[in-house]
Amino acid sequence: MGIKEIDLIDPKKLPCHIAIIMDGNGRWAQKRGLPRIAGHWAGAEALRSIVEFCAELKIKVLTVYAFSTENWKRPYEEVKTILNLLVYYLKKEVDNLNRNNIKLMVTGDWQELPYRIREEIKKSVELTSNNTGLILNVALNYGSRREIVKACKTISRLVDNGRLKPEEIDEKLFEKYLFTAGLPDPDLLIRPSGELRLSNFLLWQIAYSELWFCDTYWPDFKKEHLVQALLDFQRRERRFGGLTK
Ligand code: IPE
Ligand code: IPE
Ligand code: MG
């Protein structure tokens, strides 16, 4: 593995937007007899090298699922530690992001998070806002159904106060009210850890994404896995409902 396979990647056929469901942290830790939170720490480390690799490849957007609207169902201690860790990570990574010209974006209902966390997020986003390379989009307190309902509410209000006609609502307009407004749809969605489901992630946006699964737990997910995903992606034929040329 390594150099050879990387060299097989066709730079002209890279996905513009990669989305990753960073799953398997808890099981990674349990397998080692460690507390689940150790898995979340290891997961944050795994993210760093994948982010840097995506920047190197000149991928435009990397969206990572870090905390879902359903993850609040977990024990309070785990939720608290995950959120603190995420904020610690975002803060600590700012220099590294700037060095690599990476722009941070946070997607989801993060405005609902505690004040201290919101302030830290705003600061990190602001400090990387002039970067022009990879967009690292972190989905935090994100839920796709909630995102879609929210968009419907905003659009209904516009109709209600006469600023929009129902006939004017189309897919393009609808997308403007999603958290991902302005971003291209993911071309490739990756879920490690052996789970074959979407868990409420980007349901609208992945209508035509290529899906790629592997059994590796996220903390063990390396550049090599991404290379494999990219090579598989480049071998696939995307028809978008049309026919092969
Ligand atoms: C993903 O790992 C991280 C979050 C959901 C925050 P998990 O914590 O879901 O790990 P598993 O799936 O239980 O192994
Ligand atoms: C999805 O993983 C959410 C994140 C990775 C942040 P979960 O572990 O929460 O998903 P389920 O519960 O296995 O579907
Ligand atoms: Mg999980």
Side-chain angles (χ1 to χ4, degrees):
M1 217 335 158
I3 306 302
K4 270 202 184 118
E5 297 223 285
I6 289 183
D7 291 343
L8 293 175
I9 296 177
D10 179 351
K12 288 192 289 295
K13 280 173 70 183
L14 284 169
C16 184
H17 183 172
I18 300 175
I20 304 181
I21 300 176
M22 304 188 290
D23 196 20
N25 296 351
R27 279 165 288 162
W28 179 92
Q30 272 157 357
K31 206 176 78 182
R32 287 165 173 74
L34 299 168
R36 289 179 58 84
I37 194 64
H40 297 308
W41 277 101
E45 288 301 317
L47 177 59
R48 179 181 300 117
S49 63
I50 295 303
V51 168
E52 284 174 7
F53 186 43
C54 284
E56 216 176 287
L57 288 171
K58 305 230 175 324
I59 302 289
K60 294 214 166 53
V61 189
L62 172 67
T63 297
V64 292
Y65 204 5
F67 189 85
S68 77
T69 45
E70 285 72 37
N71 287 146
W72 293 102
K73 290 178 192 161
R74 298 187 180 196
Y76 172 74
E77 276 308 312
E78 180 169 346
V79 170
K80 200 175 80 180
T81 328
I82 293 174
L83 293 177
N84 283 335
L85 187 154
L86 279 165
V87 172
Y88 172 81
Y89 175 86
L90 293 183
K91 198 172 156 182
K92 193 168 103 184
E93 283 308 299
V94 164
D95 287 344
N96 198 24
L97 296 178
N98 282 334
R99 215 172 309 123
N100 289 292
N101 195 22
I102 300 167
K103 182 178 173 145
L104 177 69
M105 209 179 128
V106 179
T107 281
D109 273 325
W110 60 274
Q111 306 283 358
E112 281 177 5
L113 300 175
Y115 176 78
R116 190 183 58 81
I117 296 185
R118 284 194 325 261
E119 287 305 300
E120 291 294 351
I121 292 174
K122 274 192 230 161
K123 240 190 268 169
S124 301
V125 168
E126 176 56 31
L127 287 168
T128 65
S129 62
N130 291 325
N131 294 338
T132 53
L134 173 75
I135 295 176
L136 170 61
N137 182 27
V138 180
L140 187 47
N141 198 23
Y142 175 87
S144 194
R145 288 184 170 183
R146 191 193 275 200
E147 175 187 36
I148 291 169
V149 169
K150 222 174 169 172
C152 291
K153 270 191 196 153
T154 311
I155 293 170
S156 312
R157 275 193 212 105
L158 293 174
V159 171
D160 213 27
N161 60 31
R163 288 166 59 196
L164 188 72
K165 294 193 191 78
E167 310 80 75
E168 288 170 330
I169 303 170
D170 59 12
E171 292 177 15
K172 245 196 156 77
L173 179 127
F174 193 81
E175 280 169 355
K176 282 192 198 154
Y177 296 94
L178 297 174
F179 291 128
T180 49
L183 298 180
D185 286 339
D187 303 290
L188 173 62
L189 172 85
I190 296 175
R191 183 168 195 162
S193 93
E195 307 294 6
L196 306 179
R197 56 176 170 264
L198 300 172
S199 304
N200 204 13
F201 191 44
L202 303 175
L203 301 181
W204 171 284
Q205 297 87 338
I206 59 166
Y208 272 105
S209 304
E210 294 298 325
L211 311 181
W212 195 85
F213 299 96
C214 68
D215 288 334
T216 310
Y217 295 139
W218 173 249
D220 284 332
F221 193 95
K222 306 254 165 353
K223 211 165 137 171
E224 284 76 13
H225 298 94
L226 185 54
V227 168
Q228 210 50 62
L230 290 170
L231 290 175
D232 286 347
F233 171 81
Q234 297 191 330
R235 277 192 286 265
R236 295 193 194 172
E237 188 197 34
R238 303 182 76 191
R239 287 186 296 275
F240 300 95
L243 297 176
T244 309
K245 277 190 200 109

